[in-house]
């Protein structure tokens, strides 16, 4: 092969130019994501072991109410996520496979509309349902079902079942109200992909509703369920405004404690240590969830 | 053919393309004449599409050169080449009308709106889509979309049109119809066509010349009839149609012909290449074996009716098996003894490339 | 009937079989009712659950008095007038709208760049994956951690607090959403489309303008609308970065909620829900969600 001019050692010019141009285009969003994502996490870590280098901030995490607060936050995250999934399963199944096609889009839009609304406002609306002079108490007393208003808003200490702290009624409703739409959306996406003929085949072979649910629906949609759980879990456990508005005084959550340390006590190092510890626990949870390739595929869609 | 001064010759010299450890193209040299319908044919993975993409400028070769009309265009981006490509999956712009698709290249060349509209309409007429300009590509049939893709690639008058198996998605009837159409359009516009396909039937029926590729190299090139009737390699013989390959011994030679002994008989075969001594391979097309002769004899093992003709599998007395194709007359039954005449045979080599490597 | 001619065994079994069959039928019918009813009840109560509180607040926003009581003793739009003439609320609404608009457009632009990098960038695979992961951080790190981190960093670097940091924080917050919204559309575009444009004589920017951009358009509009909604509603990051000078609508509402529930707040809430509801409606009318 005499006529060959070998240029393999030379980076072909257009390709090299393309790489440089694309790196330039990538720079702006990446710089923003690094400056406000990676750098602050670094600051957070450095702050958490200051002054100079110390672990006293982390040691302090073990004291006072902090372990309780942390556990309560995580527990409430689990409970609310579970409630959202329990509601989302039948609703999205019906929507994807039973709902008359002409209503489907309108219903899907109305179930996911709250994603676009302000959650501070949505949380506030529950005040008028649960307050002493709210809708429920007015109905109860007017109909004589109760002789005096019940303590529904920010009332009742949280009940602890095993490792999980149950949220108070108003906090639970407020959380489900703003996070259910996220779970409905992720679950709907994977419910829609479930081939309904599988359900029919199982029925044809004599499976009852429970078997169909266990053998067909759960395995086929579990990726969507875990993805939905991952999306809302950290937000529930790390919520600030919702507990500020709807939680009982006895059920402080971690974000409230962190914010208080940052804003009121001005103890940055301790706020940072709390944040880092909380982040570590959440990320470990994510790591376990993301181990499944189904879940990774599902999250990849987001 | 309107071969004017704008016509150019496409030439490549020792094109090589490596992707990591795999070599997709391993030294392809081609020369395409102005106004020619040239086909590159080969099995999938032989490097034909990569070669085409290098010609279009969509890939840059690891080594080698591409020349258009004597000018080296190897490093020119696709927009600066007077070649246009008809993509395998067409990739019509879904957000544009048929007319906007066809006029896209003209708009990039800065052709003013009014002229452009005229030229687009003319082009649509050429491909048989008059009046389809305002349609949405998605509303067209498969064959119509092919025509739009063709019109779009031809509209700004490239000197060479590259076609990457554009007919592969069509059903059989439509494909046959489009072949005739492609040939007609090529004659009408006089543009050089370079057509890449794995379908030897398309290549044989349309092309003026064919290059057969395998493993990144050109194995043989020539006119369809030469390649079909006088293949020089077993690979080309087999790839371009059904072939009986028999091992033979050379008994005598003169003027490009040899007398060989194969399958228990003795007959003549064409030998365009040098003839080695001893054992050689010869190819006989199934239709070149005529029952009722006496050169070879054997037993019919299978008969399959194909409509216009019949095919027999015959176990020759000399040991080999051959396929025989003849007009259907229903006379032959399995188990019968049959005598065969050899109407035509060619001696082939097993060599892989034109360079004789 | 045929009973007499039937074999004795069949005669014996028939009543039992009939009962069994009718029990089966009853069971099946019951199951169908329970099934159908179960789904209907769940779906309807979910819808009621999501919207009843909003309806109640809308109803209570019509109260003549500043402290509504159920049932209302009259209906008036007076408090909407109060809200719209309240300087603090109107200013916070203007701030949120302005921040939202800038964030929506700039965030979508940045999202487009990031999406292009992730889906089509002529860069090594690990670089593209790295960009995707970095952009996705706020999706997986709890918002309070992001907010404290940015707050501490802003304080330590000396950037301080105010409108600039709020804008940066909002851009950062919407970036993953717009990026992945646009990227999912980008990924469906055939590479060949841009190659075809180049082949027909378009240079890079022209191919982008004439082919890529129009095909991405629905995703870009959706991104602008969703980014606006995200920014308009964002609370926690703003809470940490706003300082004393800047008050966005969610901060203003939050402050009032902490003081107490009033008809004024109900009317303000309804207005806010109407604004973001209108943005959502615009998005829904664009293209059915997939």
């Amino acid at each position: 092969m005499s006529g060959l001019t070998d240029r393999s050692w030379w980076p072909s010019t257009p390709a090299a130019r393309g790489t440089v141009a694309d790196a330039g285009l990538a720079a702006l969003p990446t710089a923003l994501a690094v400056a406000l994502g990676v750098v602050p996490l670094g600051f957070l870590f450095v702050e958490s072991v200051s002054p100079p280098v110390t672990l006293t901030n982390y040691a302090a995490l073990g004291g006072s109410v902090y372990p309780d607060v942390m556990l309560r936050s995580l527990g409430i995250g689990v409970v609310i996520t579970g409630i959202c999934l329990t509601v989302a399963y039948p609703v999205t199944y019906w929507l994807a496979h039973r709902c008359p096609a002409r209503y489907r889009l309108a219903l899907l839009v109305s179930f996911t509309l709250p994603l676009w609304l302000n959650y501070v406002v949505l949380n506030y609306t529950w005040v008028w349902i649960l307050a002493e002079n709210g809708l429920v108490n007015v109905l109860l007393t007017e109909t004589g079902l109760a002789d005096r208003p019940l303590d529904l808003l920010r009332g009742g200490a949280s009940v602890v079942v095993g490792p999980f702290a149950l949220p108070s009624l108003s906090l639970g409703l407020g959380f489900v109200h703003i996070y259910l739409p996220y779970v409905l959306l992720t679950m709907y996406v994977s419910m829609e992909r479930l081939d309904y003929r599988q359900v029919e085949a199982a029925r044809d072979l004599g499976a009852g509703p429970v078997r169909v649910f266990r053998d067909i629906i759960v395995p086929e949609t579990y990726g969507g369920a875990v993805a939905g759980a991952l999306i809302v879990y950290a937000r529930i456990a790390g919520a600030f405004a919702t507990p500020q508005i709807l939680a009982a005084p006895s059920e402080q959550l971690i974000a409230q404690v962190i914010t208080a340390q940052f804003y009121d006590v001005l103890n940055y190092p301790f706020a940072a240590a709390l944040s880092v510890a909380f982040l570590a626990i959440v990320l470990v949870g994510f790591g376990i969830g993301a181990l499944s390739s189904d879940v990774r595929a599902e999250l990849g869609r987001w | 053919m309107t071969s004017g001064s704008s016509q150019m010759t496409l030439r490549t010299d020792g094109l090589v393309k490596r992707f990591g450890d795999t070599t997709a193209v391993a030294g392809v040299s081609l020369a395409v004449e102005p106004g020619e319908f040239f086909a590159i044919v080969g099995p999938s993975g032989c490097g034909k599409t990569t070669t085409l993409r290098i010609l279009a400028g969509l890939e840059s070769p690891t080594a080698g050169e591409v020349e258009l009309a004597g000018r080296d265009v190897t490093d020119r981006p696709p927009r600066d080449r007077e070649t246009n490509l008809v993509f395998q999956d067409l990739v019509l712009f879904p957000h544009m009308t048929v007319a906007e698709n066809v006029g896209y290249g003209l708009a990039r060349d800065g052709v003013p709106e009014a002229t452009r509209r005229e030229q687009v309409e003319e082009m649509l007429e050429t491909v048989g889509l008059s009046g389809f300009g305002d349609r949405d590509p998605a509303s067209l049939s498969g064959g119509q979309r092919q025509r739009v893709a063709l019109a779009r690639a031809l509209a700004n008058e490239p000197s060479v049109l590259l076609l990457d198996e554009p007919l592969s998605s069509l059903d059989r009837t439509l494909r046959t119809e489009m072949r005739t159409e492609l040939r007609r359009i090529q004659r009408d516009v006089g543009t050089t066509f370079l057509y890449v396909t794995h379908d030897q039937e398309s290549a044989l029926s349309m092309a003026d010349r064919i290059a057969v590729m395998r493993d990144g190299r050109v194995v043989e090139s020539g006119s369809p009839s030469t390649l079909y009737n006088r293949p020089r390699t077993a690979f080309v013989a087999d790839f371009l149609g059904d072939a009986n390959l028999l091992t033979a011994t050379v008994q005598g030679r003169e003027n490009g012909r040899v007398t060989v002994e194969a399958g228990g008989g003795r007959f003549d075969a064409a030998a365009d290449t040098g003839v080695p001594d001893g054992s050689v391979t010869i190819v006989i097309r199934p239709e070149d074996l005529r029952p009722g002769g006496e050169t070879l004899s054997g037993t019919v093992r299978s008969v399959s009716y194909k409509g216009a003709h019949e095919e027999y599998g015959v176990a020759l007395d000399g040991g080999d098996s051959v396929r025989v194709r003849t007009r259907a007359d229903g006379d032959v039954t399995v188990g019968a003894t049959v005598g065969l005449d050899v109407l035509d045979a060619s001696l082939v080599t097993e060599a892989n490339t034109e360079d004789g490597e | 009937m045929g009973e007499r001619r039937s074999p004795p065994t069949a005669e014996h079994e028939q009543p039992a079989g009939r009962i069994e069959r009718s029990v089966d039928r009853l069971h099946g019918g019951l199951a169908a009712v329970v099934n159908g009813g179960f789904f209907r009840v769940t779906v309807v109560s979910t819808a009621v659950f999501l919207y009843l509180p909003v309806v109640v607040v809308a109803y209570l926003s019509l109260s003549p008095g500043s402290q509504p009581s159920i049932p209302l003793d009259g209906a008036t739009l007076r408090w909407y007038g109060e809200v719209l003439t309240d300087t603090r609320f109107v200013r916070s609404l203007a701030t949120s709208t302005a921040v939202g608009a800038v964030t929506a457009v700039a965030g979508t632009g940045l999202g487009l760049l990031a999406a292009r990098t992730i889906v089509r960038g002529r860069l090594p695979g690990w670089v593209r994956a790295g960009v995707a992961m970095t952009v996705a951080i706020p999706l997986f790190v709890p918002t309070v951690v992001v907010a404290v981190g940015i707050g501490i960093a802003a304080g330590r670097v000396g950037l301080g607090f105010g409108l600039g940091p709020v804008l940066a924080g909002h851009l950062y917050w919407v970036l993953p959403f717009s990026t992945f919204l646009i990227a999912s559309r980008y990924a469906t575009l055939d590479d060949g489309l841009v190659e075809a444009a180049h082949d027909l004589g378009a240079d890079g920017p022209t191919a982008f303008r004439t082919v890529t951009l129009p095909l991405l358009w629905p995703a870009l509009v959706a991104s602008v609308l969703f980014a606006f909604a995200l920014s308009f509603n964002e609370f926690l990051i703003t809470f940490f970065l706003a300082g004393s000078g800047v008050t966005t609508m969610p901060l203003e509402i939050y402050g009032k909620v902490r003081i107490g529930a009033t008809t004024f707040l109900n009317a303000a809430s309804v207005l806010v829900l109407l604004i973001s509801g209108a943005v959502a409606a615009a998005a829904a009318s664009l293209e059915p969600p997939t």
Side-chain angles (χ1 to χ4, degrees):
Chain A
M1 307 231 170
S2 49
L4 293 190
T5 44
D6 190 11
R7 286 183 287 117
S8 53
W9 54 271
W10 178 255
S12 47
T13 343
R17 228 184 295 135
T19 302
V20 171
D22 285 6
L25 293 178
L28 211 52
T30 311
L32 177 71
V34 169
L36 277 83
V38 179
V39 170
L41 288 181
F43 264 102
L44 213 51
F45 184 74
V46 170
E47 192 73 37
S48 74
V49 292
S50 68
V53 177
T54 169
L55 287 177
T56 49
N57 298 311
Y58 286 98
L61 292 177
S64 186
V65 297
Y66 303 117
D68 285 351
V69 170
M70 190 78 84
L71 210 59
R72 187 185 302 126
S73 302
L74 299 172
I76 286 179
V78 171
V79 171
I80 301 294
T81 306
I83 294 173
C84 289
L85 285 174
T86 312
V87 176
Y89 256 105
V91 170
T92 55
Y93 175 75
W94 183 84
L95 202 55
H97 297 296
R98 296 287 200 79
C99 174
R102 62 183 185 280
Y103 303 132
R104 189 171 292 143
L105 185 61
L107 280 171
L108 183 64
V109 167
S110 54
F111 279 146
T112 51
L113 175 66
L115 292 178
W116 296 72
L117 305 181
N118 189 295
Y119 65 86
V120 175
V121 171
L122 290 181
N123 283 160
Y124 164 70
T125 60
W126 283 96
V127 169
W128 285 109
I129 301 288
L130 302 172
E132 205 178 311
N133 54 348
L135 181 69
V136 173
N137 274 323
V138 168
L139 286 177
L140 285 178
T141 47
E142 290 290 314
T143 55
L145 284 171
D147 27 327
R148 57 193 174 77
L150 303 177
D151 187 16
L152 301 172
L153 181 66
R154 306 181 196 110
S158 47
V159 183
V160 176
V161 180
F164 300 133
L166 294 186
S168 64
L169 179 71
S170 56
L171 182 62
L173 288 171
F175 269 140
V176 174
H177 193 203
I178 54 180
Y179 292 111
L180 179 60
Y182 288 92
V183 183
L184 284 174
L185 188 58
T186 41
M187 283 292 302
Y188 178 79
V189 172
S190 66
M191 247 339 151
E192 199 186 25
R193 254 181 289 122
L194 165 77
D195 188 346
Y196 190 66
R197 284 170 303 180
Q198 289 188 32
V199 175
E200 289 174 330
R203 287 241 180 81
D204 189 46
L205 297 170
V210 176
R211 274 217 92 85
V212 169
F213 180 72
R214 203 187 63 195
D215 294 350
I216 310 288
I217 297 176
V218 170
E220 289 290 315
T221 58
Y222 127 102
V226 180
L230 287 186
I231 286 170
V232 298
Y233 177 73
R235 298 199 188 171
I236 297 166
F240 171 75
T242 303
Q244 288 283 97
I245 298 169
L246 294 172
S250 61
E251 47 180 4
Q252 265 208 327
L253 297 188
I254 186 73
Q256 294 169 282
V257 175
I258 294 175
T259 308
Q261 288 296 327
F262 179 84
Y263 247 89
D264 308 332
V265 188
L266 296 177
N267 187 349
Y268 284 14
F270 189 57
L274 278 168
S275 302
V276 171
F278 177 54
L279 176 63
I281 294 172
V282 168
L283 288 185
V284 167
F286 273 169
I288 294 166
L291 281 182
S292 150
S293 57
D294 280 4
V295 177
R296 274 204 300 273
E298 198 72 29
L299 283 171
R301 270 179 255 280
W302 287 86
Chain B
M1 235 184 273
T2 58
S3 94
S5 57
S6 71
Q7 293 293 318
M8 300 183 189
T9 314
L10 175 69
R11 242 174 43 76
T12 73
D13 190 12
L15 283 184
V16 174
K17 180 66 183 181
R18 278 190 282 271
F19 296 102
D21 288 341
T22 55
T23 302
V25 179
V28 167
S29 302
L30 295 169
V32 182
E33 299 300 323
E36 195 175 27
F37 196 129
F38 192 95
I40 299 179
V41 61
S44 57
C46 72
K48 56 190 191 300
T49 294
T50 308
T51 305
L52 199 70
R53 288 175 59 83
I54 293 172
L55 298 182
L58 296 171
E59 304 279 355
S60 44
T62 314
E65 275 168 18
V66 180
E67 227 174 64
L68 264 176
R71 274 180 304 146
D72 182 357
V73 297
T74 317
D75 286 328
R76 289 237 200 119
R79 64 170 187 277
D80 292 340
R81 293 189 191 203
E82 292 186 45
T83 55
N84 280 349
L85 176 60
V86 180
F87 289 73
Q88 183 171 7
D89 36 13
L90 308 182
V91 291
L92 299 178
F93 301 126
H95 57 297
M96 299 181 193
T97 63
V98 166
E100 285 166 345
N101 264 283
V102 175
Y104 189 86
L106 295 171
R108 302 290 79 78
D109 291 349
V111 176
E113 173 90 44
T115 327
R116 200 158 75 214
R117 210 175 306 131
E118 248 165 60
Q119 282 174 315
V120 166
E121 196 39 55
E122 226 167 85
M123 204 62 240
L124 285 175
E125 207 170 297
T126 307
V127 299
L129 283 181
S130 290
F132 279 74
D134 293 331
R135 297 277 289 271
D136 179 2
S139 72
L140 303 181
S141 72
Q144 289 167 335
R145 281 205 294 273
Q146 302 278 350
R147 291 165 194 263
V148 176
L150 201 61
R152 182 178 73 176
L154 281 171
N156 60 350
E157 296 174 347
S159 39
V160 180
L161 187 73
L162 309 167
L163 301 100
D164 186 8
E165 308 214 40
L167 306 186
S168 61
S169 61
L170 299 181
D171 65 43
R172 199 182 161 75
T173 329
L174 204 52
R175 192 156 61 217
T176 316
E177 184 196 315
M178 276 305 291
R179 273 186 210 142
T180 321
E181 271 295 277
L182 263 183
R183 197 62 241 233
R184 175 189 66 76
I185 291 164
Q186 196 259 342
R187 291 219 177 85
D188 281 1
V189 297
T191 307
T192 310
F193 275 31
L194 197 154
Y195 189 96
V196 153
T197 181
H198 69 278
D199 172 23
Q200 82 286 355
E201 217 181 298
S202 289
L204 288 173
S205 64
M206 289 188 292
D208 298 316
R209 275 199 309 144
I210 296 176
V212 182
M213 277 186 75
R214 178 198 197 180
D215 297 336
R217 294 164 197 277
V218 175
V219 187
E220 266 186 72
S221 57
S223 73
S225 62
T226 309
L227 288 187
Y228 185 81
N229 294 319
R230 290 284 171 265
R232 293 190 296 180
T233 60
F235 174 76
V236 169
D238 205 34
F239 190 79
L240 289 185
D242 296 324
N244 295 305
L245 295 168
L246 299 178
T247 310
T249 48
V250 178
Q251 303 292 320
R253 64 193 78 187
E254 73 176 296
N255 295 342
R257 293 194 74 76
V258 288
T259 305
V260 294
E261 198 171 286
R266 179 188 276 250
F267 50 90
D268 281 1
D272 295 337
T273 46
V275 182
D277 287 323
S279 180
V280 295
T281 305
I282 56 145
V283 54
I284 309 172
R285 297 287 178 197
E287 62 271 24
D288 289 335
L289 285 168
R290 185 198 287 158
E294 43 205 32
T295 311
L296 300 169
S297 69
T299 312
V300 176
R301 291 289 180 220
S302 64
V303 177
S304 58
Y305 179 67
K306 304 265 175 161
H309 57 85
E310 267 177 336
E311 265 183 29
Y312 317 137
V314 176
L316 297 176
D317 297 342
D320 293 296
S321 287
V322 291
R323 281 208 280 175
V324 178
R325 188 176 294 154
T326 180
R327 283 194 50 183
D329 49 18
D331 282 357
V332 178
T333 50
V334 173
T337 309
V338 65
L340 298 169
D341 267 344
V342 179
L343 301 183
D344 196 5
S346 319
L347 190 144
V348 294
T349 63
E350 290 291 348
N352 228 350
T353 68
E354 282 196 310
D355 317 332
E357 269 175 37
Chain C
M1 295 288 287
E3 267 172 49
R4 205 168 292 171
R5 263 170 282 155
S6 307
T9 45
E11 214 172 309
H12 182 71
E13 275 179 13
Q14 205 168 21
R18 199 184 291 153
I19 289 168
E20 221 164 75
R21 265 199 306 281
S22 38
V23 166
D24 268 6
R25 207 172 301 138
L26 187 70
H27 191 81
L30 214 64
V33 169
V34 168
N35 270 350
F38 167 69
F39 282 116
R40 215 165 297 142
V41 167
T42 320
V43 171
V44 170
S45 35
T46 303
V48 169
F49 168 75
L50 288 178
Y51 289 102
L52 178 73
V54 175
V55 171
V56 169
V57 166
Y59 168 69
L60 295 179
S61 71
L62 303 175
S63 162
S66 77
Q67 284 294 324
S69 60
I70 303 174
L72 292 182
D73 44 5
T76 168
L77 289 175
R78 169 182 149 216
W79 289 100
Y80 286 90
E82 297 281 333
V83 171
L84 291 174
T85 48
D86 182 84
T87 352
R88 282 181 58 96
F89 183 78
V90 170
R91 195 189 298 140
S92 77
L93 203 59
T95 306
S96 276
T97 310
V99 170
V102 173
T103 305
V105 174
T108 299
L110 289 172
L112 175 59
L113 289 178
R116 188 183 176 286
T117 305
I118 293 165
V119 180
R120 287 290 140 80
R122 287 162 290 184
L123 297 164
W126 63 268
V127 173
R128 289 155 56 188
V131 171
M133 299 247 291
T134 314
V135 166
I137 287 176
L139 293 182
F140 297 102
V141 174
T143 315
V144 66
V145 178
V146 172
V148 174
I150 298 178
I152 287 179
R156 290 286 183 239
V157 172
L159 221 105
F161 303 91
L163 199 57
V166 165
L167 258 175
H170 280 214
L171 271 178
Y172 175 66
W173 173 237
V174 304
L175 183 61
F177 294 94
S178 48
T179 299
F180 294 115
L181 205 63
I182 298 167
S184 66
R185 172 98 187 180
Y186 219 135
T188 66
L189 298 191
D190 192 332
D191 277 324
L193 289 165
V194 171
E195 287 185 344
H198 286 310
D199 188 54
L200 293 167
D203 58 14
T206 309
F208 187 77
R209 180 173 55 79
T210 55
V211 176
T212 311
L213 211 54
L215 290 171
L216 287 180
W217 196 248
L220 295 177
V221 177
S223 163
V224 165
L225 292 172
F226 197 57
F228 178 84
L230 281 174
S231 163
F232 189 72
N233 295 324
E234 209 294 320
F235 172 75
L236 198 50
I237 294 176
T238 322
F239 187 72
F240 275 81
L241 291 177
S244 53
V246 182
T247 308
T248 63
M249 179 277 299
L251 290 188
E252 175 72 16
I253 297 237
Y254 173 77
K256 286 211 155 60
V257 169
R258 297 284 287 164
I259 294 166
T262 58
T263 312
F264 179 93
L265 196 45
N266 293 346
S269 296
V270 171
L271 280 176
V272 165
L273 293 180
L274 282 178
I275 294 172
S276 34
V279 176
S285 67
L286 272 179
E287 220 189 0
T290 43

